[in-house]
Amino acid sequence: MFPQLEIDARKLKANAQAITELSARFGVSVCGVTKVTCGSPEAARAMRDGGVMMIGDSRLENIARMRAAGIPGPYMLIRLPMLSQADQVVELADYSLVSELGTARALDRAAGRAGVTHKLVLMVDLGDLREGFWEDELVPAAVAVARQEHAVLAGIGVNLCCYGGVCPTTANLGCLVQLAREVEQATGITLEIVSGGNSGTIGMLLDGTLPAGINHLRIGEGIVLGRETIARRPIPDANLDACVLRAEVIEVREKPSVPIGVIGQDVFGNTPTFVDHGRQRRAICAIGHQDTVPANLTPVDPAISVLGASSDHLLLDVTAMAVQPQVGDVIEFLPGYAALLMAMTSPYVAKLWTR
Ligand SMILES: *Cc1c(COP(=O)(O)O)cnc(C)c1O
């Protein structure tokens, strides 16, 4: 069935292993983040087998599915909890990331009702401007949370490289470590977790620049695609092709490279421009914006280039291919994060797990 996304669980496991071993050299343990796989139990199992110490996901339904499949926790809810889900949060997750005192209190009450202990990691915003307390709010917030009995203070953390694209540095992660020491002094609690971000921080492991005191990272993309996410450097010993997207060719024909006629707007309301490369051999694959993010696909064969796409059609320039493709052939692509996320969530893309 095409389009088809093949995910190789052995390669995911090897990638998780490469990253957990690299992290361990710095005293850092890894939370394997499954959200880009839609909380797939296969992905979670591969990450667990590769040595991650906990599983993180942004959605409770994903955590419920992985738990039901018997994947051992602990589980971390990595999106700020919804107040309306407080009871489910403490039932399904062992840890959650929080940035609102009202939510922390609601989780405390829910954990009390359920008779469980839930662990909270307070997020601090160090400039990326997504979630987190401001620096000057963090210590008072931690002091308040430290008084809770059922949803207890387990750590602090930061998220970078997301909304603002802010890079982790010795300055901002050094600030996180400093805040951790201040929280420990103010509360008398030794923090279990000082979480220094996501796959964007792997570069600091590669360079040996991660500040001492960071002991936890939340890693999704690095495991799944094998690269850190600032300069997209490959991670040593990791596979860059654990995920392959395949689409079937439905037309092959030689055509001009510039459309014929008056150019108005394309299907998405943009006015396209074209450079004349003469006549091209072009292939159409049966995949489009309903399945993936076409611009985020890299053809495995370097002789193929992506010209564009509409909802259901992907246009390729195959002029440089030594052997011209035929209708019915299958073309392989390596997805970037956006293309992978969309392929995982699209009901039109068949998912094939290999072990
Ligand atoms: C998605 C997410 C991660 C994982 O990010 P990757 O870049 O995939 O490693 C970590 N933490 C939070 C809060 C996230 O939302």
Side-chain angles (χ1 to χ4, degrees):
M1 246 197 66
F2 299 100
Q4 172 194 88
L5 179 64
E6 181 176 345
I7 312 106
D8 187 325
R10 280 164 311 179
K11 290 182 178 175
L12 283 194
K13 177 187 164 186
N15 291 3
Q17 211 160 2
I19 292 169
T20 54
E21 284 168 10
L22 174 66
S23 303
R25 282 190 240 145
F26 295 86
V28 170
S29 63
V30 174
C31 168
V33 174
T34 46
K35 74 178 180 219
V36 75
T37 71
C38 297
S40 147
E42 286 92 341
R45 188 170 292 114
M47 289 183 185
R48 267 307 208 169
D49 291 347
V52 309
M53 56 92 77
M54 62 171 80
I55 297 290
D57 204 287
S58 51
R59 312 256 171 176
L60 288 176
E61 52 269 56
N62 288 351
I63 295 178
R65 183 184 318 105
M66 293 184 283
R67 272 200 191 281
I71 311 297
Y75 284 92
M76 177 179 263
L77 180 66
I78 61 166
R79 183 172 68 185
L80 308 174
M82 293 185 229
L83 267 185
S84 61
Q85 294 186 327
D87 289 304
Q88 295 95 303
V89 171
V90 300
E91 181 198 330
L92 290 166
D94 305 285
Y95 295 82
S96 50
L97 307 182
V98 294
S99 68
E100 292 283 351
L101 277 179
T103 306
R105 280 193 288 270
L107 293 173
D108 189 48
R109 288 191 296 269
R113 280 194 294 277
V116 298
T117 298
H118 185 74
K119 295 184 174 185
L120 301 179
V121 174
L122 304 190
M123 296 301 277
V124 54
D125 192 333
L126 295 177
D128 198 59
L129 305 188
R130 203 177 75 179
E131 71 272 54
F133 290 99
W134 283 120
E135 264 175 67
D136 60 354
E137 298 172 323
L138 186 73
V139 173
V143 168
V145 171
R147 292 193 204 106
Q148 297 189 165
E149 229 182 297
H150 309 288
V152 301
L153 180 65
I156 67 170
V158 67
N159 200 60
L160 296 164
C161 327
C162 272
Y163 173 71
V166 171
C167 298
T169 58
T170 50
N172 53 29
L173 291 189
C175 176
L176 183 71
V177 172
Q178 175 60 29
L179 285 167
R181 298 295 89 90
E182 287 172 25
V183 164
E184 288 182 336
Q185 268 192 340
T187 61
I189 293 173
T190 302
L191 297 180
E192 172 195 336
I193 289 178
V194 181
S195 190
N198 52 36
S199 298
T201 306
I202 295 173
M204 297 188 83
L205 296 176
L206 296 175
D207 297 337
T209 53
L210 188 76
I214 305 286
N215 66 8
H216 181 272
L217 293 175
R218 310 174 308 272
I219 306 291
E221 181 171 352
I223 297 175
V224 176
L225 296 179
R227 295 174 188 270
E228 53 86 19
T229 56
I230 301 289
R232 307 275 162 199
R233 278 182 287 168
I235 296 160
D237 301 322
N239 302 282
L240 305 179
D241 61 350
C243 304
V244 178
L245 188 57
R246 299 193 180 92
E248 185 171 334
V249 175
I250 53 175
E251 181 190 291
V252 183
R253 189 161 282 119
E254 197 180 294
K255 294 190 181 183
S257 43
V258 177
I260 302 149
V262 177
I263 293 181
Q265 290 188 343
D266 70 11
V267 61
F268 297 117
N270 307 305
T271 303
T273 54
F274 297 89
V275 178
D276 194 350
H277 298 292
R279 290 181 76 79
Q280 295 170 322
R281 182 147 296 259
R282 297 156 72 110
I284 303 179
C285 285
I287 188 171
H289 286 273
Q290 302 211 66
D291 310 285
T292 189
V293 177
N296 197 221
L297 294 177
T298 304
V300 170
D301 184 338
I304 302 176
S305 54
V306 175
L307 293 169
S310 56
S311 308
D312 306 285
H313 299 76
L314 179 70
L315 306 184
L316 304 174
D317 178 359
V318 297
T319 313
M321 285 179 83
V323 179
Q324 296 301 320
Q326 308 288 312
V327 168
D329 282 359
V330 172
I331 308 269
E332 292 192 334
F333 303 89
L334 295 182
Y337 190 80
L340 179 64
L341 182 66
M342 176 93 203
M344 280 283 184
T345 51
S346 172
Y348 300 111
V349 178
K351 281 76 173 174
L352 179 68
W353 285 86
T354 49
R355 278 170 206 94

